[in-house]
């Protein structure tokens, strides 16, 4: 019997999605040998089409901005929210934090392939159809790999980055998965030929709509540049248990319960099979050691409501790449202090607002009729992805600041006369 072939690299990256492609590009530019292992063939469908402006700084650092700007994706400059006829929008260019204020809404199959292809053009080695089946961390990490032709080999690496997204390869193989502290939720989604004719509909913004009776049920509508939209609904599984019919029928039945969406999408038709994703919120026992780090969804995923997934993925890639570059430059790296703690700070900021969205506190702020412009700019920065800006009081002290604004909104609603300026 022939021996299993063995290869080696400095950094092995599991997954060629946004987290993997950005990390690979940053490391390759620093002269570090990288091998990316991607289970699927690209292009492949992925959900999460609305980027945040914060992403643009990582895309630029990876040398991918020119390719992205030429790709023809839908321009995005903000987020709009609607509940029971009340409408409010946030202009991402009018924010507290410095940095890009615009981005794109993308069909992820094309976007992910664009980033991966750009990384490959830079010289990054990406192997498609290659799955990691086991890992040995006793000494130098050794990965067991099988390709889509059934060929097996081993890969030794100094370090492993898991950018496998919802595949969560290392959390499964190393028993790192832990229950999320967020209630389980389920999403039903599809892409539609939207047929929207309303001249007031702003295709430059994601639209988040709230169910008229149940504030914990919400819908996303993400316009693309080709007359299509990503459409989805999110609710706790018990809320969806009574729905009848196919997933597409269930989705459109729920859409028709929200009058604004029903009107907007009266001519819409699905252009791909509806799908569902449940139990997506995830946590792990550790995000990194001196042998591996978990990037993006492979480590922790909160909720799709503020489109934070790709932003967290790219931020984690930037932190991990910086740590590895420093390591190869001979500097000492403390993975807990230099990676886990700063990454978790931003994730926990998003968590504050996700939890407050579902219990109604943040919705009260979003739909307040009398918003303080400076407060709105600070909140807008978070919605634009700048959840790591510790100069922003709504980041540094997120829970207390949010609760202060919630109380102020409640006082204003209960007051029969305007407060003095």
């Amino acid at each position: 019997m022939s021996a299993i072939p063995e290869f080696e690299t400095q950094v092995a990256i599991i997954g060629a999605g946004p987290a993997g492609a950005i990390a690979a590009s940053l490391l390759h530019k620093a002269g570090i040998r990288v091998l990316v292992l991607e289970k699927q063939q690209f292009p492949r469908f992925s959900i999460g089409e609305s980027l945040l402006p914060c992403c643009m700084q990582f895309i630029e650092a990876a040398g991918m901005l020119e390719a992205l700007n030429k790709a023809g994706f839908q321009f995005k400059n903000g987020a709009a929210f609607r509940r029971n006829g009340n409408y409010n929008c946030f202009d991402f260019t009018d924010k507290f934090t410095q940095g890009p204020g615009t981005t794109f809404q993308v069909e992820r199959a094309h976007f992910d392939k664009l980033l991966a292809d750009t990384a490959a053009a830079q010289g990054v080695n990406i192997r498609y159809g290659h799955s990691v089946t086991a890992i040995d961390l006793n000494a130098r990490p050794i990965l067991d790999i099988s390709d889509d032709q059934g060929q097996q080999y081993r890969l030794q690496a100094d370090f492993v980055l898991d950018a496998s997204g919802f595949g969560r390869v290392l959390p499964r193989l190393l028993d790192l998965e832990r229950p999320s502290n967020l209630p389980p939720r389920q999403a039903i989604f599809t892409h539609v030929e939207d047929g929207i004719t309303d001249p007031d509909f702003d295709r430059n913004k994601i639209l988040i709509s709230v169910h008229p009776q149940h504030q914990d049920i919400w819908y996303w509508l993400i316009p693309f540049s080709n007359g299509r939209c990503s459409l989805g609904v999110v609710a706790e599984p018990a809320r969806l248990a009574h729905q009848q019919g196919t997933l597409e029928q269930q989705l459109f039945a729920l859409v028709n319960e929200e009058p604004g969406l029903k009107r907007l999408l009266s001519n819409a038709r699905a252009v791909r099979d509806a799908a569902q994703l449940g139990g997506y919120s995830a946590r792990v026992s550790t995000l990194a050691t001196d042998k591996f780090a978990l990037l993006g969804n492979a480590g922790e995923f909160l909720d799709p409501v503020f489109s934070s997934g790709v932003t967290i993925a790219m931020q984690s890639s930037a932190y991990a790449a910086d740590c590895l570059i420093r390591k190869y430059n001979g500097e000492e790296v403390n993975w807990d202090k230099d990676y886990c703690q700063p990454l978790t700070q931003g994730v926990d900021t998003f968590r504050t607002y996700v939890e407050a969205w579902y219990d109604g506190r943040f919705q009260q702020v979003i739909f307040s009729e009398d918003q303080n412009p400076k407060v709105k700019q600070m909140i807008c920065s978070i919605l634009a992805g700048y959840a790591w800006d510790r100069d922003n009081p709504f980041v540094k002290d997120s829970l207390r600041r949010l609760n202060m604004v919630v109380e102020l909104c409640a006082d204003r609603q209960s007051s029969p006369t305007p407060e003095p300026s």
Side-chain angles (χ1 to χ4, degrees):
M1 181 181 294
S2 60
I4 296 178
E6 295 189 2
F7 302 88
E8 74 87 31
T9 189
Q10 289 180 295
V11 179
I13 299 179
I14 307 171
I22 294 291
S25 176
L26 294 174
L27 293 170
H28 178 77
K29 288 174 65 176
I32 297 170
R33 285 184 293 114
V34 176
L35 178 58
V36 181
L37 306 162
E38 169 56 51
K39 179 179 181 179
Q40 296 180 292
Q41 299 289 338
F42 280 22
R44 52 89 174 99
F45 178 80
S46 182
I47 199 68
E49 301 94 343
S50 193
L51 305 182
L52 301 183
C54 183
C55 294
M56 303 299 281
Q57 59 192 358
F58 305 118
I59 293 170
E60 182 174 19
M64 300 176 176
L65 187 58
E66 181 179 1
L68 179 62
N69 285 335
K70 292 179 178 179
F73 292 123
Q74 173 65 49
F75 177 79
K76 176 184 175 182
N77 62 10
F81 297 85
R82 184 170 55 206
R83 183 183 70 180
N84 288 326
N86 297 320
Y87 180 89
N88 191 17
C89 66
F90 288 77
D91 179 352
F92 289 160
T93 65
D94 185 19
K95 59 181 176 15
F96 174 84
T97 305
Q98 295 296 311
T102 64
T103 185
F104 298 98
Q105 296 171 157
V106 301
E107 291 188 76
R108 284 286 303 278
H110 303 315
F111 174 73
D112 290 10
K113 188 175 187 301
L114 174 73
L115 297 190
D117 285 352
T118 305
Q122 294 171 349
V124 172
N125 186 357
I126 303 178
R127 296 181 180 178
Y128 293 99
H130 288 235
S131 302
V132 175
T133 58
I135 183 169
D136 183 349
L137 296 177
N138 287 330
R140 193 183 187 209
I142 300 176
L143 303 173
D144 288 353
I145 300 163
S146 178
D147 68 18
D148 52 11
Q149 303 300 312
Q151 300 298 312
Q152 299 180 355
Y153 62 95
R154 289 195 176 102
L155 176 68
Q156 289 192 26
D158 298 332
F159 201 86
V160 181
L161 295 178
D162 185 352
S164 60
F166 289 121
R168 299 172 62 78
V169 172
L170 291 192
R172 288 187 294 101
L173 293 177
L174 299 175
D175 192 27
L176 303 176
E177 295 186 294
R178 298 294 181 268
S180 172
N181 56 6
L182 294 172
R185 295 188 175 91
Q186 184 172 322
I188 305 175
F189 52 88
T190 190
H191 285 182
V192 298
E193 193 80 41
D194 59 71
I196 295 174
T197 58
D198 185 345
D200 293 328
F201 178 64
D202 189 350
R203 300 192 73 90
N204 294 336
K205 294 177 176 65
I206 181 176
L207 175 63
I208 302 295
S209 302
V210 182
H211 192 281
Q213 281 83 45
H214 307 293
Q215 70 176 13
D216 60 329
I217 298 178
W218 64 274
Y219 311 80
W220 76 71
L221 189 65
I222 304 171
F224 300 139
S225 59
N226 58 1
R228 295 182 175 183
C229 284
S230 173
L231 170 67
V233 62
V234 174
E236 292 187 10
R239 295 278 195 194
L240 302 178
H242 70 282
Q243 296 297 120
Q244 303 294 319
T246 65
L247 287 176
E248 180 180 323
Q249 291 168 337
Q250 294 178 42
L251 173 58
F252 279 95
L254 286 163
V255 164
N256 288 335
E257 292 180 12
E258 204 290 295
L261 274 185
K262 180 180 180 180
R263 176 180 54 81
L264 271 180
L265 298 174
S266 59
N267 298 318
R269 65 178 185 87
V271 292
R272 65 170 295 114
D273 292 338
Q276 63 181 345
L277 183 64
Y280 44 70
S281 297
R283 297 181 69 190
V284 290
S285 58
T286 184
L287 286 170
T289 70
D290 60 354
K291 295 182 180 180
F292 70 85
L294 309 179
L295 308 183
N297 295 351
E300 183 155 2
F301 183 76
L302 297 174
D303 191 271
V305 64
F306 302 127
S307 304
S308 61
V310 174
T311 300
I312 293 173
M314 291 187 177
Q315 180 70 72
S316 64
S317 295
Y319 278 143
D322 179 68
C323 287
L324 286 169
I325 291 168
R326 289 170 49 207
K327 173 181 178 293
Y328 281 108
N329 284 337
E331 299 179 38
E332 184 176 344
V333 173
N334 182 315
W335 281 91
D336 182 61
K337 178 177 177 292
D338 299 333
Y339 178 77
C340 301
Q341 291 182 26
L343 179 61
T344 299
Q345 286 179 349
V347 173
D348 285 346
T349 298
F350 279 124
R351 187 193 311 278
T352 295
Y353 295 94
V354 167
E355 292 176 343
W357 171 266
Y358 282 103
D359 67 28
R361 287 175 296 141
F362 194 38
Q363 291 191 31
Q364 188 174 352
V365 174
I366 290 287
F367 295 106
S368 171
E369 295 180 357
D370 186 17
Q371 294 184 336
N372 181 301
K374 291 183 178 179
V375 170
K376 187 172 183 179
Q377 287 178 333
M378 293 176 185
I379 292 174
C380 188
S381 287
I382 296 164
L383 294 176
Y386 295 95
W388 290 266
D389 177 15
R390 303 288 287 176
D391 291 331
N392 184 347
F394 283 79
V395 171
K396 185 176 181 180
D397 194 9
S398 59
L399 183 58
R400 188 177 71 86
R401 290 283 182 170
L402 174 62
N403 285 335
M404 287 174 58
V405 176
V406 170
E407 291 177 7
L408 185 59
C409 290
D411 290 343
R412 286 172 175 167
Q413 290 179 358
S414 62
S415 176
T417 57
E419 296 181 357
S421 59

